[in-house]
Amino acid sequence: MQPFEMVMNPKQVFFSVLIFGVAGLLLFMYLQVWIEEQHTGWGPMKYLQPVPRIMSTEKIQEHITNQNPKFHMPEDVREKKENLLLNSERSTRVLTKTSYSQGGDQALSKSTGSPTEKWRIEKHQGAKTVFNKFSNMHWPVDIHPLNKSLVKDNKWKKTDEIQEKRRSFLQEFCKKYGGVSHHQSHLFHTVSRIYVEDKHKILYCEVPKAGCSNWKRILMVLNGLASSAYNISHDAVHYGKHLKKLDSFDLKGIYTRLNTYTKAVFVRDPMERLVSAFRDKFKHPNSYYHPVFGKAIIKKYRPNACEEALINGSGVRFKEFIHYLLDSHRPVGMDIHWEKVSKLCYPCLINYDFVGKFETLEEDANYFLQMIGAPKELKFPNFKDRHSSDERTNAQVVRQYLKDLTRTERQLIYDFYYLDYLMFNYTTPFL
Ligand SMILES: *[C@@H]1O[C@H](CO)[C@@H](O)[C@H](O)[C@H]1NC(C)=O
Ligand SMILES: *[C@@H]1O[C@H](CO)[C@@H](O)[C@H](O)[C@H]1NC(C)=O
Ligand SMILES: *[C@@H]1O[C@H](CO)[C@@H](O)[C@H](O)[C@H]1NC(C)=O
Ligand SMILES: *[C@@H]1O[C@H](CO)[C@@H](O)[C@H](O)[C@H]1NC(C)=O
């Protein structure tokens, strides 16, 4: 080998530097996007997540599970882990479907879709194709008539009529505002809030603050994981890892279940759900929501906050919380407890067979249990397992909280939850 072959001429040096520079820049941009995603909660920018090609879904699940020893932690810390887990799930398991987000979401929601978000979407159009993996699954999932062969009792007639009305109402809504076929969304993300009960073939999409703890208890009983819903602790329900989520299955497992199981979602008046979430997380000591959300909210929305409040993050006022919620530049991301149902459960993509409401929870739930052939003695529990001495959030309580807000703020909350209001036929007396 001759020496001159080892030495680069200036032209080669220039190109090497250029190539390294460009590669570095790309890596930097990629990492920045990835880090942002880790911090922004439910953003539309899930495209850039690398798919670890050598890992199967099960492997990844195992990997995440192993990294998440939630068992012996205090409750609030575990709650935090749960949220972090959501993020890590999104960063490792990515799959795309032929729909970007809930049908009509972009067209309809007025208060989301900030310029930054739109810019990000555009920015990633190119990159996403690299990581996309399409499958032949048709969205939305087909809708089937409810199988009522197991309901013998006449007393469910009224409940059933209401149920059929809600189903067709939602279906009509989705047809009208559908327009989902041109967008991208992630299958695993879309089904990540859905719990699976294989024995009775049920899928239940978890909506926090709408009776989900008791639903999870029921699913555990149905699955044979507990003998009674009444003695399963709050922690066992939320951190026990007894129930499987739909995104822990492989593609085939997901599609089969989506198309053959009875899919249920239980919703609640958006304003009530919001106030309920606020009371639960900010009106009681909480070692996750106060330091993480409380601190950031007080810092940004309370002028002249005292030192102590800035440090402990306690005592967030409802108005401050609303300013955070409505801010398109939130200092901390969204959270499942106040996230829209349209973004948690994707009702127009999943086509739920059963739409329950918190307002008629026991009735709806017990009818559902009949329908799926649950043991006769199994009834939906009616207890409130946290802060049980507090009054339940009802219309009266909501009215008190809304007194602190201006009419404009109330209107903006309505706009924020607009899709939830429309899909589930809720109206508000507060405007
Ligand atoms: C309805 O459910 C019953 C009992 O589970 C079952 O035997 C029947 O095949 C179902 N019918 C349909 C149309 O799926
Ligand atoms: C929608 O809500 C209105 C007012 O509460 C009610 O009268 C109507 O029956 C509801 N429609 C459906 C399909 O549930
Ligand atoms: C729950 O109650 C049932 C019967 O009432 C009992 O057999 C079971 O051991 C209890 N489980 C727990 C975890 O306490
Ligand atoms: C946090 O700071 C506020 C404001 O000074 C104070 O009133 C409150 O007692 C503190 N809370 C905790 C849990 O330390």
Side-chain angles (χ1 to χ4, degrees), residues 143-405:
I143 190 143
H144 305 288
L146 280 170
N147 182 344
K148 295 166 196 165
S149 64
L150 294 175
V151 183
K152 304 273 189 273
D153 213 329
N154 234 351
K155 73 173 180 183
W156 298 112
K157 197 158 171 287
K158 189 101 197 16
T159 314
D160 177 64
E161 276 169 16
I162 294 172
Q163 186 52 229
E164 288 298 343
K165 262 189 171 177
R166 279 185 203 151
R167 275 159 49 91
S168 53
F169 185 89
L170 179 60
Q171 234 179 312
E172 282 305 308
F173 172 86
C174 293
K175 241 192 253 161
K176 214 147 87 193
Y177 296 100
V180 290
S181 55
H182 306 299
H183 304 295
Q184 300 293 321
S185 93
H186 293 250
L187 173 66
F188 285 110
H189 174 72
T190 305
V191 303
S192 67
R193 312 290 326 157
I194 297 179
Y195 284 90
V196 179
E197 204 291 282
D198 278 320
K199 288 196 178 139
H200 297 78
K201 303 194 184 243
I202 303 170
L203 298 178
Y204 163 74
C205 185
E206 176 190 32
V207 175
K209 312 316 299 171
C212 76
S213 301
N214 281 338
W215 258 114
K216 283 154 94 174
R217 289 189 172 91
I218 286 288
L219 294 182
M220 285 169 73
V221 174
L222 287 172
N223 205 239
L225 292 163
S227 56
S228 156
Y230 281 88
N231 56 6
I232 310 169
S233 72
H234 179 88
D235 281 17
V237 167
H238 290 286
Y239 313 108
K241 288 182 165 295
H242 300 298
L243 295 166
K244 278 186 183 157
K245 283 195 171 169
L246 190 51
D247 63 351
S248 68
F249 293 89
D250 62 8
L251 273 183
K252 188 159 171 284
I254 293 174
Y255 293 152
T256 309
R257 285 173 180 80
L258 277 176
N259 283 306
T260 57
Y261 284 19
T262 308
K263 306 179 288 293
V265 62
F266 275 71
V267 299
R268 183 178 187 175
D269 177 279
M271 206 70 96
E272 250 184 64
R273 187 173 158 247
L274 178 67
V275 171
S276 174
F278 174 76
R279 292 175 78 206
D280 185 25
K281 302 306 175 203
F282 296 104
K283 285 292 181 191
H284 299 274
N286 190 309
S287 64
Y288 173 59
Y289 284 90
H290 294 197
V292 175
F293 288 87
K295 255 177 162 168
I297 290 173
I298 291 172
K299 182 159 180 249
K300 180 154 184 191
Y301 309 102
R302 186 182 299 173
N304 313 316
C306 74
E307 200 58 38
E308 206 190 341
L310 284 171
I311 290 165
N312 72 21
S314 299
V316 169
R317 294 167 196 142
F318 188 60
K319 201 180 179 71
E320 293 164 346
F321 175 67
I322 295 307
H323 286 176
Y324 144 81
L325 182 79
L326 300 174
D327 191 345
S328 57
H329 301 279
R330 287 184 204 103
V332 278
M334 279 297 281
D335 180 85
I336 56 169
H337 294 85
W338 48 86
E339 181 59 279
K340 305 156 196 174
V341 178
S342 55
K343 283 201 173 180
L344 292 172
C345 296
Y346 298 89
C348 288
L349 292 177
I350 304 294
N351 262 330
Y352 291 93
D353 303 299
F354 194 94
V355 180
K357 290 197 172 180
F358 187 80
E359 291 75 13
T360 48
L361 179 59
E362 276 184 73
E363 202 177 311
D364 291 346
N366 287 325
Y367 176 52
F368 183 80
L369 290 177
Q370 281 266 309
M371 210 163 54
I372 53 107
K376 274 237 166 327
E377 64 282 5
L378 183 64
K379 291 282 170 284
F380 195 80
N382 61 1
F383 61 86
K384 180 172 187 275
D385 68 348
R386 292 228 296 170
H387 316 308
S388 51
S389 59
D390 286 12
E391 187 185 2
R392 261 192 213 269
T393 303
N394 53 30
Q396 194 119 24
V397 173
V398 170
R399 193 165 301 125
Q400 286 305 314
Y401 276 90
L402 293 183
K403 270 186 186 159
D404 297 340
L405 307 182

